[in-house]
Amino acid sequence: WPRLSPSSLEADNRIDVAQLLATQTHLGQLRGSILHKWFEKIRFLDDDNDGIPYDQDLLPEATAIDSKTDAHWLHELLTQFRTMLETSVVRQALAPCECELWREQAFAVRRDRHLVQGQFDRVMIFRKSDKILGAKLIDFKTYPVTTDQLASAVKRHTSQMNAYRDALSAMLDIKSNMVTTCLLFVDPGYLCVI
């Protein structure tokens, strides 16, 4: 089967110049990879800041991605990450709940005549006994976005999120309307339900 990734389904595969500079440069890609790895370390955040990993746990994760990363840049990114964790939107998205939690979960499912492969950033599966009541999928977007850019950013990622919804509903054997998909723009902190 021909292979697809959900991100290849993004609208027109076009982005504006500011986002191109933020996400397509080596540092932009590295920033995204490191932030995703750091968010993966968080199970839940509560009001007492339990769940926030220590610097000594986060920094090795970053250097494992790129051992030549500038220390000053990395500490600046760590400060930005800590700021992201203080926003009410991010805290609410990572708040404790009674669920089965998947973080950075790889998947491969058939869709039409293609094999769709990817990785879910964060999935919360809600059950009562053994019955699945629903699921919530959060996809982290680590590039900076302004209020003016938000609508176009959401539109660009809608096909990707629909592919994630289809994949997760197939994996869980539930109807697609039982899966809520959300884009979490961590910088500066927007949660958009798709």
Side-chain angles (χ1 to χ4, degrees):
W1 290 319
R3 296 174 186 218
L4 289 174
S5 68
S7 59
S8 71
L9 302 172
E10 293 176 352
D12 300 330
N13 281 327
R14 292 185 297 177
I15 57 177
D16 67 34
V17 174
Q19 290 169 351
L20 178 67
L21 293 174
T23 62
Q24 297 302 318
T25 65
H26 171 71
L27 281 180
Q29 292 171 347
L30 181 60
R31 179 182 192 269
S33 296
I34 292 170
L35 288 173
H36 271 85
K37 184 54 87 174
W38 289 349
F39 275 106
E40 179 186 358
K41 302 286 284 178
I42 298 172
R43 182 165 168 75
F44 296 112
L45 293 179
D46 64 20
D47 293 336
D48 297 326
N49 286 330
D50 284 342
I52 297 178
Y54 295 106
D55 292 359
Q56 62 264 26
D57 297 323
L58 296 174
L59 292 173
E61 296 284 345
T63 55
I65 293 170
D66 186 341
S67 62
K68 297 177 184 174
T69 303
D70 177 72
H72 176 74
W73 179 85
L74 192 54
H75 283 281
E76 184 177 307
L77 183 59
L78 188 56
T79 300
Q80 292 172 19
F81 177 67
R82 300 259 180 238
T83 301
M84 291 171 194
L85 296 180
E86 291 302 317
T87 65
S88 61
V89 171
V90 172
R91 292 191 74 78
Q92 184 178 0
L94 302 177
C97 64
E98 291 294 322
C99 66
E100 178 183 339
L101 180 65
W102 297 352
R103 294 170 285 173
E104 296 298 327
Q105 176 67 47
F107 69 88
V109 295
R110 286 186 287 171
R111 183 180 183 196
D112 301 321
R113 296 181 184 180
H114 294 92
L115 180 64
V116 179
Q117 293 179 292
Q119 194 159 309
F120 302 128
D121 290 345
R122 187 175 183 90
V123 174
M124 292 165 280
I125 303 166
F126 304 98
R127 298 177 189 267
K128 185 171 186 176
S129 301
D130 285 341
K131 182 179 179 181
I132 296 177
L133 302 176
K136 183 175 184 178
L137 185 150
I138 296 176
D139 190 59
F140 299 113
K141 295 302 177 193
T142 59
Y143 60 88
V145 64
T146 65
T147 304
D148 293 340
Q149 299 167 327
L150 189 58
S152 64
V154 168
K155 182 179 178 183
R156 181 175 50 261
H157 297 296
T158 297
S159 294
Q160 174 190 12
M161 298 307 291
N162 288 337
Y164 282 153
R165 177 185 291 114
D166 292 347
L168 185 58
S169 64
M171 289 173 67
L172 298 176
D173 195 25
I174 60 175
K175 294 179 181 179
S176 62
N177 66 355
M178 295 174 68
V179 177
T180 302
T181 57
C182 305
L183 291 167
L184 179 55
F185 294 92
V186 297
D187 186 6
Y190 298 113
L191 184 71
C192 303
V193 178
I194 304 294

